[in-house]
Amino acid sequence: MSVRSTVAPLKPPTPPTTRLAPSPTGALHLGNARTFLVNWAMARRSGWRIVLRMEDLDGPRVKPGADLLAIDLLEWLGVDWDEGPVWQSADLSPYRAAMDRLARAGHAYGSDLSRTDVERLSADLEGLSAPQEGSHEVRFPRTLRPAIDETTRAQGFDDDARTWRFAVEPWEVSFEDRFAGMRSYDVAEIAGDFIIWTKQRMPAYQLAVVVDDAAQGVTEVVRGDDLLDSAARQILLYRALGLGNEPRYTHLPLVRGEDGRRLAKRHGDTRLDSYRAAGVGAERVVGLIAFWCGLSPGRVSMSAAEFCAGFSLDTMTRNGITFGPEDDAWLRRGDR
Ligand code: GLU
């Protein structure tokens, strides 16, 4: 036997890869722009490949045209990418295949319990009342999990208009975030058996992100720190699906209004397309973000290329970023 036939061909090394993952459920605002600009600058400075991925599975919330507008606005800002855009909704088969694997391995099961059922039953069982303030999620304790036996496993996944959940074991998931440092989460305590497939017969966010990150070779995830504990859930899914190395995470402090709440309509119209329509230049928006990220001591217009050249995670503020009226006034002023 020749040596050639016994040696496996060398796999080309996967280049470090990140993704820009807008949800076309609304228009991009200054907070989204901050995250995408930082993600892009980190990638371009380090030679990571960038995939643009439209996270458009949240059917009822997706707004027609928001995807194309997001692409247009990213280009306007000066952000570019190497692959995509890819739309998650274009092909649901990889998500179904992942579900089937999870169900056959005993990690996923269907449940008929509604949100109200879960609230009522978990209060009865564990003396819990409503979910934590500000959280839309209801924790699903394992006591509500049906038995997962040989028969249910053998049936695999059935897209049967039930909610499908991931069976979470009670142990801590730890990871080292590039910005937030060492983190540990007990997913059983925070979320319990979380939803991975909805009764609208669509993959839930946690599952879709993991299947795509793995398929697209994503090694670096950069996003807002509202998703820090989602990273722990995603790591559990990576492991249960046997997908190999989880990505490195960088979770950035969210941009907030002066009331301390995440940037939203109540803080005024901070949509990028509204600023653009009012004649605000992209360099102005980038300049404000640069100020927020500690690149410059004051607000100074700059191009995306200048932002990229000056960006470092080390100068990024640890105290949170607050959008206030002086930011809006400066954007609209128009001088340099
Ligand atoms: N599509 C999500 C968002 O716009 C980002 C999810 C992620 O980066 O994992 O918030």
Side-chain angles (χ1 to χ4, degrees):
M1 199 190 276
S2 80
V3 174
R4 263 178 172 223
S5 62
T6 57
V7 177
L10 278 181
K11 272 210 227 144
T14 336
T17 299
T18 189
R19 74 307 197 271
L20 306 173
S23 295
T25 49
L28 294 190
H29 58 58
L30 289 172
N32 306 123
R34 186 292 310 261
T35 302
F36 292 131
L37 203 62
V38 168
N39 194 352
W40 171 81
M42 286 177 73
R44 289 296 176 238
R45 291 179 63 89
S46 315
W48 305 340
R49 170 177 153 262
I50 305 177
V51 179
L52 175 62
R53 178 169 86 213
M54 282 295 156
E55 303 212 319
D56 63 339
L57 293 177
D58 194 354
R61 293 182 56 230
V62 167
K63 303 232 173 14
D67 49 359
L68 299 183
L69 182 58
I71 293 170
D72 183 35
L73 287 165
L74 286 171
E75 286 172 341
W76 176 71
L77 277 179
V79 166
D80 63 354
W81 48 91
D82 308 304
E83 233 176 83
V86 282
W87 276 261
Q88 289 184 318
S89 62
D91 181 13
L92 298 187
S93 60
Y95 311 120
R96 289 207 183 92
M99 283 303 297
D100 200 53
R101 248 160 83 195
L102 290 172
R104 289 182 191 280
H107 291 303
Y109 61 89
S111 162
D112 290 317
L113 295 178
S114 70
R115 189 192 158 93
T116 325
D117 294 336
V118 178
E119 271 172 335
R120 187 174 42 79
L121 289 167
S122 53
D124 290 352
L125 283 167
E126 302 195 2
L128 291 173
S129 55
Q132 285 172 344
E133 196 202 329
S135 142
H136 299 295
E137 186 170 22
V138 185
R139 179 174 164 270
F140 190 99
R142 65 179 295 159
T143 37
L144 296 182
R145 186 190 304 167
I148 303 176
D149 55 24
E150 281 309 312
T151 322
T152 47
R153 286 167 66 149
Q155 282 163 354
F157 171 59
D158 185 3
D159 194 356
D160 52 4
R162 285 186 298 164
T163 297
W164 282 72
R165 293 180 177 271
F166 181 74
V168 176
E169 297 312 318
W171 55 63
E172 297 260 310
V173 180
S174 302
F175 60 95
E176 170 94 40
D177 187 278
R178 282 193 195 274
F179 187 77
M182 202 59 209
R183 292 281 159 162
S184 287
Y185 295 93
D186 181 344
V187 179
E189 195 51 50
I190 298 168
D193 290 358
F194 57 90
I195 297 176
I196 48 179
W197 195 271
T198 72
K199 55 176 190 293
Q200 287 76 33
R201 304 183 169 198
M202 293 294 273
Y205 159 72
Q206 307 290 358
L207 180 85
V209 161
V210 167
V211 169
D212 286 341
D213 282 347
Q216 292 160 3
V218 169
T219 56
E220 298 284 342
V221 168
V222 181
R223 58 190 179 190
D225 63 8
D226 53 328
L227 292 171
L228 257 170
D229 68 79
S230 283
R233 291 177 227 191
Q234 291 162 18
I235 289 171
L236 289 179
L237 286 171
Y238 255 85
R239 293 180 187 165
L241 284 163
L243 292 173
N245 290 344
E246 303 104 40
R248 283 291 306 268
Y249 292 99
T250 306
H251 286 93
L252 307 166
L254 288 186
V255 179
R256 299 181 179 277
E258 287 186 317
D259 56 0
R261 295 162 79 187
R262 62 187 296 163
L263 201 58
K265 276 192 194 129
R266 62 182 160 266
H267 302 112
D269 185 357
T270 65
R271 289 177 302 182
L272 294 191
D273 58 318
S274 303
Y275 282 118
R276 183 171 65 172
V280 175
E283 298 207 344
R284 208 81 186 157
V285 173
V286 174
L288 175 63
I289 294 171
F291 170 59
W292 283 346
C293 292
L295 261 80
S296 47
R299 299 173 187 82
V300 187
S301 296
M302 69 172 75
S303 66
E306 287 168 306
F307 181 91
C308 182
F311 181 78
S312 161
L313 260 192
D314 300 337
T315 53
M316 185 86 193
T317 173
R318 298 207 158 258
N319 304 326
I321 296 169
T322 306
F323 168 83
E326 61 292 358
D327 292 318
D328 179 72
W330 181 79
L331 281 176
R332 293 175 189 281
R333 215 162 56 214
D335 54 348
R336 181 117 185 146

PDB file of all heavy atoms in Angstrom, residues 223-236:
ATOM      1  N   ARG A 223     -20.746  40.892  20.009  1.00  0.00           N
ATOM      2  CA  ARG A 223     -22.145  41.348  20.081  1.00  0.00           C
ATOM      3  C   ARG A 223     -22.388  42.042  21.418  1.00  0.00           C
ATOM      4  O   ARG A 223     -21.488  42.150  22.249  1.00  0.00           O
ATOM      5  CB  ARG A 223     -23.085  40.154  19.901  1.00  0.00           C
ATOM      6  CG  ARG A 223     -22.874  39.074  20.928  1.00  0.00           C
ATOM      7  CD  ARG A 223     -23.643  37.794  20.569  1.00  0.00           C
ATOM      8  NE  ARG A 223     -23.398  36.776  21.584  1.00  0.00           N
ATOM      9  CZ  ARG A 223     -23.764  35.509  21.465  1.00  0.00           C
ATOM     10  NH1 ARG A 223     -24.373  35.091  20.399  1.00  0.00           N
ATOM     11  NH2 ARG A 223     -23.496  34.645  22.431  1.00  0.00           N
ATOM     12  N   GLY A 224     -23.622  42.462  21.663  1.00  0.00           N
ATOM     13  CA  GLY A 224     -23.954  43.191  22.882  1.00  0.00           C
ATOM     14  C   GLY A 224     -23.987  42.264  24.098  1.00  0.00           C
ATOM     15  O   GLY A 224     -24.250  41.060  23.969  1.00  0.00           O
ATOM     16  N   ASP A 225     -23.736  42.844  25.281  1.00  0.00           N
ATOM     17  CA  ASP A 225     -23.634  41.972  26.461  1.00  0.00           C
ATOM     18  C   ASP A 225     -24.990  41.526  27.018  1.00  0.00           C
ATOM     19  O   ASP A 225     -25.053  40.816  28.013  1.00  0.00           O
ATOM     20  CB  ASP A 225     -22.746  42.589  27.555  1.00  0.00           C
ATOM     21  CG  ASP A 225     -23.297  43.888  28.115  1.00  0.00           C
ATOM     22  OD1 ASP A 225     -24.434  44.265  27.782  1.00  0.00           O
ATOM     23  OD2 ASP A 225     -22.558  44.530  28.898  1.00  0.00           O
ATOM     24  N   ASP A 226     -26.082  41.924  26.337  1.00  0.00           N
ATOM     25  CA  ASP A 226     -27.376  41.341  26.701  1.00  0.00           C
ATOM     26  C   ASP A 226     -27.400  39.859  26.318  1.00  0.00           C
ATOM     27  O   ASP A 226     -28.267  39.114  26.782  1.00  0.00           O
ATOM     28  CB  ASP A 226     -28.530  42.083  25.996  1.00  0.00           C
ATOM     29  CG  ASP A 226     -28.345  42.178  24.486  1.00  0.00           C
ATOM     30  OD1 ASP A 226     -27.196  42.252  24.015  1.00  0.00           O
ATOM     31  OD2 ASP A 226     -29.363  42.149  23.770  1.00  0.00           O
ATOM     32  N   LEU A 227     -26.429  39.431  25.507  1.00  0.00           N
ATOM     33  CA  LEU A 227     -26.417  38.032  25.068  1.00  0.00           C
ATOM     34  C   LEU A 227     -25.359  37.202  25.808  1.00  0.00           C
ATOM     35  O   LEU A 227     -25.082  36.063  25.423  1.00  0.00           O
ATOM     36  CB  LEU A 227     -26.208  37.968  23.547  1.00  0.00           C
ATOM     37  CG  LEU A 227     -27.403  38.512  22.744  1.00  0.00           C
ATOM     38  CD1 LEU A 227     -27.077  38.634  21.266  1.00  0.00           C
ATOM     39  CD2 LEU A 227     -28.632  37.621  22.934  1.00  0.00           C
ATOM     40  N   LEU A 228     -24.791  37.769  26.887  1.00  0.00           N
ATOM     41  CA  LEU A 228     -23.757  37.019  27.630  1.00  0.00           C
ATOM     42  C   LEU A 228     -24.254  35.660  28.100  1.00  0.00           C
ATOM     43  O   LEU A 228     -23.589  34.641  27.912  1.00  0.00           O
ATOM     44  CB  LEU A 228     -23.306  37.841  28.844  1.00  0.00           C
ATOM     45  CG  LEU A 228     -21.961  38.546  28.724  1.00  0.00           C
ATOM     46  CD1 LEU A 228     -21.764  39.505  29.884  1.00  0.00           C
ATOM     47  CD2 LEU A 228     -20.804  37.573  28.631  1.00  0.00           C
ATOM     48  N   ASP A 229     -25.433  35.622  28.716  1.00  0.00           N
ATOM     49  CA  ASP A 229     -25.854  34.302  29.216  1.00  0.00           C
ATOM     50  C   ASP A 229     -26.369  33.398  28.098  1.00  0.00           C
ATOM     51  O   ASP A 229     -26.414  32.178  28.255  1.00  0.00           O
ATOM     52  CB  ASP A 229     -26.806  34.406  30.410  1.00  0.00           C
ATOM     53  CG  ASP A 229     -28.159  34.976  30.059  1.00  0.00           C
ATOM     54  OD1 ASP A 229     -28.997  34.234  29.520  1.00  0.00           O
ATOM     55  OD2 ASP A 229     -28.370  36.162  30.319  1.00  0.00           O
ATOM     56  N   SER A 230     -26.703  34.000  26.945  1.00  0.00           N
ATOM     57  CA  SER A 230     -27.014  33.158  25.788  1.00  0.00           C
ATOM     58  C   SER A 230     -25.781  32.383  25.337  1.00  0.00           C
ATOM     59  O   SER A 230     -25.891  31.276  24.814  1.00  0.00           O
ATOM     60  CB  SER A 230     -27.497  34.011  24.613  1.00  0.00           C
ATOM     61  OG  SER A 230     -28.825  34.408  24.823  1.00  0.00           O
ATOM     62  N   ALA A 231     -24.603  32.982  25.528  1.00  0.00           N
ATOM     63  CA  ALA A 231     -23.371  32.282  25.131  1.00  0.00           C
ATOM     64  C   ALA A 231     -23.282  30.944  25.863  1.00  0.00           C
ATOM     65  O   ALA A 231     -22.904  29.926  25.271  1.00  0.00           O
ATOM     66  CB  ALA A 231     -22.148  33.148  25.422  1.00  0.00           C
ATOM     67  N   ALA A 232     -23.672  30.931  27.130  1.00  0.00           N
ATOM     68  CA  ALA A 232     -23.618  29.675  27.891  1.00  0.00           C
ATOM     69  C   ALA A 232     -24.559  28.635  27.283  1.00  0.00           C
ATOM     70  O   ALA A 232     -24.222  27.455  27.156  1.00  0.00           O
ATOM     71  CB  ALA A 232     -23.981  29.941  29.349  1.00  0.00           C
ATOM     72  N   ARG A 233     -25.746  29.082  26.868  1.00  0.00           N
ATOM     73  CA  ARG A 233     -26.686  28.142  26.231  1.00  0.00           C
ATOM     74  C   ARG A 233     -26.122  27.638  24.909  1.00  0.00           C
ATOM     75  O   ARG A 233     -26.257  26.475  24.548  1.00  0.00           O
ATOM     76  CB  ARG A 233     -28.021  28.835  25.960  1.00  0.00           C
ATOM     77  CG  ARG A 233     -28.737  29.140  27.241  1.00  0.00           C
ATOM     78  CD  ARG A 233     -30.004  29.881  26.957  1.00  0.00           C
ATOM     79  NE  ARG A 233     -30.076  31.006  27.872  1.00  0.00           N
ATOM     80  CZ  ARG A 233     -31.135  31.752  28.054  1.00  0.00           C
ATOM     81  NH1 ARG A 233     -32.218  31.503  27.352  1.00  0.00           N
ATOM     82  NH2 ARG A 233     -31.128  32.732  28.903  1.00  0.00           N
ATOM     83  N   GLN A 234     -25.496  28.552  24.187  1.00  0.00           N
ATOM     84  CA  GLN A 234     -24.960  28.166  22.883  1.00  0.00           C
ATOM     85  C   GLN A 234     -23.800  27.181  23.033  1.00  0.00           C
ATOM     86  O   GLN A 234     -23.664  26.250  22.239  1.00  0.00           O
ATOM     87  CB  GLN A 234     -24.590  29.434  22.103  1.00  0.00           C
ATOM     88  CG  GLN A 234     -25.871  30.192  21.718  1.00  0.00           C
ATOM     89  CD  GLN A 234     -25.694  31.644  21.335  1.00  0.00           C
ATOM     90  OE1 GLN A 234     -24.594  32.088  21.020  1.00  0.00           O
ATOM     91  NE2 GLN A 234     -26.770  32.411  21.365  1.00  0.00           N
ATOM     92  N   ILE A 235     -23.016  27.364  24.087  1.00  0.00           N
ATOM     93  CA  ILE A 235     -21.921  26.411  24.338  1.00  0.00           C
ATOM     94  C   ILE A 235     -22.498  25.021  24.638  1.00  0.00           C
ATOM     95  O   ILE A 235     -22.004  24.002  24.136  1.00  0.00           O
ATOM     96  CB  ILE A 235     -21.031  26.928  25.493  1.00  0.00           C
ATOM     97  CG1 ILE A 235     -20.233  28.147  25.018  1.00  0.00           C
ATOM     98  CG2 ILE A 235     -20.113  25.836  26.017  1.00  0.00           C
ATOM     99  CD1 ILE A 235     -19.483  28.901  26.104  1.00  0.00           C
ATOM    100  N   LEU A 236     -23.579  24.970  25.424  1.00  0.00           N
ATOM    101  CA  LEU A 236     -24.216  23.669  25.708  1.00  0.00           C
ATOM    102  C   LEU A 236     -24.674  23.003  24.408  1.00  0.00           C
ATOM    103  O   LEU A 236     -24.510  21.792  24.227  1.00  0.00           O
ATOM    104  CB  LEU A 236     -25.419  23.846  26.639  1.00  0.00           C
ATOM    105  CG  LEU A 236     -25.108  24.213  28.093  1.00  0.00           C
ATOM    106  CD1 LEU A 236     -26.404  24.371  28.879  1.00  0.00           C
ATOM    107  CD2 LEU A 236     -24.219  23.149  28.736  1.00  0.00           C
TER     108      LEU A 236
END
